[in-house]
Amino acid sequence: MPLQHEHKWWKEGIVYQIYPASFKDSNNDGIGDIAGIISKLDYIRELGVDIIWISPHYKSPQVDMGYDISDYEDIHEPYGTVEDVEMLIQAVHDRGMRIIFDLVINHTSNLHAWFLESRSSKSNPKRDWYIWRPAKYDENGNRCRPNNWRSNFSEPAWTWDENTQEYYLHLYAAEQPDLNWENEECRHAIYDSAIRFWLEKGIDGFRVDTVNRYSKYPGLPDAEVTQPREETQIAFKYFTNGPRIHEFLREINDVLSEYDVFTVGELPNTPNESDVMQYISAQAKQLNMVFNFDTVGLGQTPGDRFRITPYGNVDFKRELTRWQRVIQDTDAWTTVFLENHDQGRSISRFASDVPEHRVMAGKMLAMILGTLTGTLFIYQGQEIGMINAPLTWPVEEYKCIRSVNYLKMISERLNHDPTALSKALKALQMVARDHARVPMQWDSTANAGFCSEAVEPWMSVVGSYMEINVADQIGRKDSLLEFWKKVLDLRKLHKDLFVYGRFQLIEQGDDLMTFTKHGGDMTSLTVANLSSEMKKWEIPSLVASTDMKLIIGNMKGPMDQLGPYEGRVYISSP
């Protein structure tokens, strides 16, 4: 008898991620805000969403768009106040939805009061709350960093502090010093300030940022030299999945267990299933689920995001469905997603954003995601089919620290070579984080309805807003927005099948994605053409004897053919 997953609200809920700066500007200062989010809650609820995830909205100098937090208990001023956030929490709950926040506790801003104390002197009580090390010196007496680690933003992972004459570690920007999780007092301060403070205000859980990087390898040794020409080296193995990480996560879980909440962890650089299972097994009592980046990482070289490698539909199918199989007959749970604030748009990356295919492709991806097992996450604008900025987008429009640093590095190293810059821009057009961070496209007026025409938004809107916007799609039955609503309705109507059902992939060629789901006394069949070419197909023998009825599709064509980016979902019951 197959193991049945225990039913939970956070497994069945549809999660909608909001990027505050870019969602809706309520006061026309060019920056999205909490009041703007509140003004669109009915739109979100009518989409079929149950849980809202708010990306970092805490007090921050915004070096890395809020992932550099200077006060966990306060709000970034342009977004609003703590009182505004309390109103948001209440407004969400009043509509029968739930809300989760980002939990960013691997590092703080270098302007956080804790770090200001830590760097004030070597004898300060909070000195050990961050990771400080003395310099090394070469044979000529030149000062060197403690090790050769590279940060995730393509720079050395150590910065010299002139005042105390030591280096501090930062796995991200220099303005994001890593907290020292080995210090118990520091850990408990994190639990009180970043976690309990907001749980007591009624939030329903956390998306946990970089959840596997709190425990570093003892001794912080040099990484292996795999790029001899580079000053720094990729060092994931020494700061990811460290020896005490599961101990730390169990401590966090002890705090969370006092409340009816859930956690979803960001789990980068963890490809082995056995390692992932240690985080998501219910018995382990650490995380409820994690984001695995196997699919969204396609085409990106680990440690070198913008070094693009080729991939095809076979790779897409393999990675997207990988965790469907792993959670079967285990007590683990998984996520279903193709977009977030760190990724390019799914239609542009995994299908086609050319005008003749864009809507069909968006509907096809919606059907695949909506019928996979796990908790479904949707990113703002995904429901209307927002796409990447074009290759012609001016270079100065890229705002993300990763994009800016990459362009600067290419320009400096290659002496402003136009060919190299052109290649770099092609990489950015595919996988830059900026594409997810442009303003939400609400209508076809100036600035896409994000803010008034008289205001310059913090980040330029993409020209596609004239054709891709909420106002044009809402209530129009053939639109992608209304199609997403139908998909989510079906997912909820048949949750035993689509949320909890057993998955089986069926091979029917490289460009066809075909799978069945079995749940309760029902069976479904999802088939999708991932290509721009007409494809022949047939009902798989596994379900050929059942009475399969088409419940949703994005085209009405011949039974034995699938048009470009056509998708269909069939269902049978006794």
Side-chain angles (χ1 to χ4, degrees):
M1 185 71 179
L3 177 68
Q4 300 296 314
H5 284 285
E6 182 182 5
H7 287 209
K8 295 282 189 180
W9 62 265
W10 44 264
K11 295 179 180 179
E12 300 165 12
I14 310 297
V15 187
Y16 187 90
Q17 182 187 358
I18 292 175
Y19 200 67
S22 300
F23 190 62
K24 178 61 179 173
D25 175 17
S26 72
N27 60 358
N28 281 319
D29 63 357
I31 302 172
D33 46 48
I34 302 301
I37 296 172
I38 294 173
S39 74
K40 295 297 183 180
L41 288 180
D42 289 334
Y43 163 79
I44 297 170
R45 181 182 59 181
E46 289 164 9
L47 176 60
V49 169
D50 307 288
I51 305 165
I52 294 172
W53 157 22
I54 308 294
S55 291
H57 56 286
Y58 311 102
K59 188 175 180 64
S60 167
Q62 299 290 310
V63 171
D64 185 24
M65 285 307 300
Y67 284 89
D68 50 319
I69 297 171
S70 56
D71 190 341
Y72 290 110
E73 301 175 25
D74 203 354
I75 306 302
H76 182 47
E77 189 172 349
Y79 294 167
T81 64
V82 171
E83 290 72 26
D84 291 329
V85 174
E86 290 172 339
M87 289 176 58
L88 171 63
I89 295 168
Q90 187 62 52
V92 169
H93 289 163
D94 287 346
R95 288 165 174 79
M97 298 186 292
R98 303 184 194 239
I99 185 168
I100 67 172
F101 288 174
D102 242 279
L103 182 61
V104 186
I105 50 179
N106 175 73
H107 48 264
T108 68
S109 165
N110 63 341
L111 298 183
H112 195 291
W114 297 346
F115 187 72
L116 295 178
E117 285 192 52
S118 183
R119 78 185 312 175
S120 65
S121 73
K122 292 181 181 179
S123 61
N124 186 276
K126 288 187 174 60
R127 180 65 172 184
D128 192 44
W129 284 31
Y130 293 84
I131 301 173
W132 295 92
R133 293 293 184 273
K136 291 182 177 179
Y137 292 88
D138 64 17
E139 61 275 10
N140 297 317
N142 297 312
R143 189 181 74 215
C144 302
R145 300 178 187 90
N147 64 32
N148 65 354
W149 293 4
R150 180 181 305 168
S151 88
N152 286 278
F153 291 161
S154 299
E155 58 185 9
W158 296 91
T159 288
W160 179 252
D161 179 64
E162 193 66 36
N163 181 48
T164 57
Q165 295 288 295
E166 284 192 332
Y167 285 95
Y168 65 87
L169 178 69
H170 51 89
L171 298 184
Y172 295 89
E175 296 85 356
Q176 294 170 287
D178 276 44
L179 288 156
N180 180 16
W181 277 74
E182 299 291 328
N183 184 299
E184 183 177 4
E185 185 181 6
C186 175
R187 295 201 305 274
H188 286 281
I190 293 169
Y191 304 155
D192 288 340
S193 185
I195 299 177
R196 285 194 178 93
F197 181 85
W198 292 106
L199 290 176
E200 287 298 315
K201 292 186 181 296
I203 69 167
D204 302 289
F206 292 101
R207 174 265 188 187
V208 191
D209 187 59
T210 57
V211 74
N212 55 351
R213 290 187 170 154
Y214 311 153
S215 175
K216 278 68 172 178
Y217 195 91
L220 310 183
D222 278 337
E224 290 80 359
V225 178
T226 56
Q227 297 174 310
R229 296 182 180 180
E230 298 292 331
E231 178 185 10
T232 60
Q233 301 296 315
I234 296 170
F236 293 135
K237 66 180 288 185
Y238 294 116
F239 58 70
T240 303
N241 305 316
R244 297 188 67 187
I245 188 63
H246 299 293
E247 173 192 346
F248 296 155
L249 291 178
R250 282 191 291 271
E251 281 190 2
I252 294 174
N253 186 73
D254 287 343
V255 176
L256 296 170
S257 65
E258 303 169 18
Y259 308 82
D260 180 22
V261 297
F262 84 100
T263 52
V264 52
E266 179 190 29
L267 196 74
N269 310 114
T270 309
N272 295 329
E273 294 175 8
S274 60
D275 293 333
V276 175
M277 292 298 284
Q278 293 183 60
Y279 289 91
I280 59 176
S281 166
Q283 188 175 7
K285 296 183 178 180
Q286 295 180 38
L287 298 164
N288 295 124
M289 64 190 93
V290 295
F291 292 120
N292 304 99
F293 296 96
D294 313 282
T295 308
V296 296
L298 286 170
Q300 302 176 36
T301 302
D304 193 353
R305 181 188 188 95
F306 300 114
R307 183 151 59 92
I308 304 300
T309 57
Y311 65 91
N313 288 331
V314 172
D315 305 299
F316 175 76
K317 290 190 296 183
R318 180 189 66 247
E319 300 303 344
L320 184 61
T321 62
R322 178 179 172 190
W323 294 97
Q324 297 288 292
R325 174 182 54 81
V326 171
I327 65 167
Q328 291 183 174
D329 298 319
T330 73
D331 66 349
W333 194 243
T334 192
T335 55
V336 180
F337 76 103
L338 281 179
E339 293 191 20
N340 64 30
H341 62 291
D342 282 335
Q343 307 298 332
R345 293 291 183 170
S346 57
I347 292 175
S348 298
R349 292 198 60 207
F350 304 118
S352 173
D353 59 13
V354 299
E356 59 266 36
H357 294 314
R358 174 176 50 78
V359 176
M360 285 289 291
K363 292 179 178 179
M364 179 269 293
L365 292 175
M367 282 182 278
I368 292 175
L369 294 174
T371 55
L372 288 173
T373 297
T375 300
L376 176 58
F377 289 76
I378 302 169
Y379 182 71
Q380 66 183 47
Q382 184 177 355
E383 75 276 16
I384 59 171
M386 286 179 64
I387 59 178
N388 281 5
L391 188 59
T392 54
W393 216 40
V395 62
E396 59 270 13
E397 296 292 355
Y398 287 95
K399 308 294 186 187
C400 169
I401 188 171
R402 273 191 166 179
S403 301
V404 171
N405 284 350
Y406 177 68
L407 289 170
K408 181 181 178 181
M409 178 190 72
I410 291 295
S411 181
E412 291 176 351
R413 286 188 180 182
L414 301 177
N415 197 27
H416 308 282
D417 176 49
T419 302
L421 181 60
S422 176
K423 184 178 178 181
L425 286 171
K426 287 181 180 179
L428 287 172
Q429 198 276 328
M430 291 177 63
V431 299
R433 303 194 296 180
D434 304 75
H435 302 297
R437 301 178 178 197
V438 297
M440 177 71 177
Q441 296 169 188
W442 293 106
D443 57 42
S444 60
T445 63
N447 291 328
F450 167 73
C451 60
S452 76
E453 182 178 1
V455 175
E456 182 178 354
W458 78 275
M459 192 173 190
S460 296
V461 299
V462 177
S464 60
Y465 78 91
M466 296 293 292
E467 296 80 36
I468 305 172
N469 63 74
V470 172
D472 179 62
Q473 297 188 32
I474 199 162
R476 183 163 57 81
K477 65 179 182 180
D478 64 338
S479 71
L480 178 55
L481 174 61
E482 296 301 326
F483 193 86
W484 261 108
K485 292 179 182 179
K486 292 178 183 177
V487 169
L488 299 184
D489 284 345
L490 284 169
R491 184 173 177 85
K492 292 180 178 182
L493 180 64
H494 302 294
K495 66 182 181 181
D496 285 346
L497 186 59
F498 295 133
V499 177
Y500 297 104
R502 292 181 67 83
F503 170 92
Q504 184 169 345
L505 186 66
I506 298 171
E507 286 300 334
Q508 289 195 320
D510 292 354
D511 294 325
L512 292 183
M513 183 169 182
T514 308
F515 59 88
T516 60
K517 296 288 292 293
H518 301 281
D521 56 359
M522 304 179 75
T523 300
S524 68
L525 169 68
T526 300
V527 58
N529 180 0
L530 302 174
S531 77
S532 60
E533 305 293 330
M534 185 77 72
K535 296 292 179 180
K536 289 277 190 181
W537 85 289
E538 60 183 21
I539 293 281
S541 58
L542 182 67
V543 294
S545 61
T546 60
D547 183 19
M548 303 297 292
K549 295 180 180 179
L550 181 68
I551 59 167
I552 193 168
N554 59 354
M555 182 187 293
K556 292 183 178 178
M559 178 63 187
D560 63 343
Q561 295 182 40
L562 291 171
Y565 301 106
E566 182 178 358
R568 302 175 190 174
V569 179
Y570 297 86
I571 197 169
S572 72
S573 57

